Amino acid sequence: HFLLLGLNGAFLTGDIFNLYVWFEIIIITSFVLLTIGGEKAQLEGAVKYFTLNILASIIFLTAIAVLYGLTGSLNMADLAAKVAAVENRTLVQVNAL
């Protein structure tokens, strides 16, 4: 149920930071589902999964911070207009990667 909650929240949010929060709920829920059996292979996979996801979360959060610094907003509707007005196109393109 928490996985469905996270997916629905990610699709319905209108804010980039809330999207990050919903993704974290999805990641935590899938991590728990991965480790339910407690076997060695599951735990080894869970460690790899956690490592990759913590790295991705740090990159995602950093991109959100840069986006907020450039535009002053995290609302997706505001970002559609404000990103087009940013003069530093290189930073916008790097942030989009």
Side-chain angles (χ1 to χ4, degrees):
H1 289 288
F2 279 106
L3 189 57
L4 287 174
L5 174 83
L7 288 171
N8 284 327
F11 279 109
L12 294 175
T13 190
D15 184 79
I16 296 287
F17 185 75
N18 287 335
L19 181 65
Y20 169 78
V21 172
W22 289 116
F23 276 155
E24 287 299 316
I25 290 172
I26 294 168
I27 289 170
I28 291 168
T29 304
S30 58
F31 178 78
V32 169
L33 289 173
L34 182 66
T35 59
I36 280 179
E39 296 178 11
K40 184 180 179 188
Q42 289 175 312
L43 297 177
E44 182 180 332
V47 169
K48 292 176 185 175
Y49 181 78
F50 177 78
T51 304
L52 288 174
N53 279 317
I54 197 72
L55 178 64
S57 292
I58 290 169
I59 293 170
F60 191 13
L61 199 55
T62 303
I64 289 171
V66 170
L67 191 60
Y68 183 73
L70 286 172
T71 62
S73 176
L74 293 177
N75 185 302
M76 290 185 208
D78 288 342
L79 287 174
K82 289 184 178 181
V83 168
V86 174
E87 293 180 14
N88 191 349
R89 300 308 303 166
T90 305
L91 191 55
V92 171
Q93 291 173 348
V94 168
N95 199 34
L97 294 175

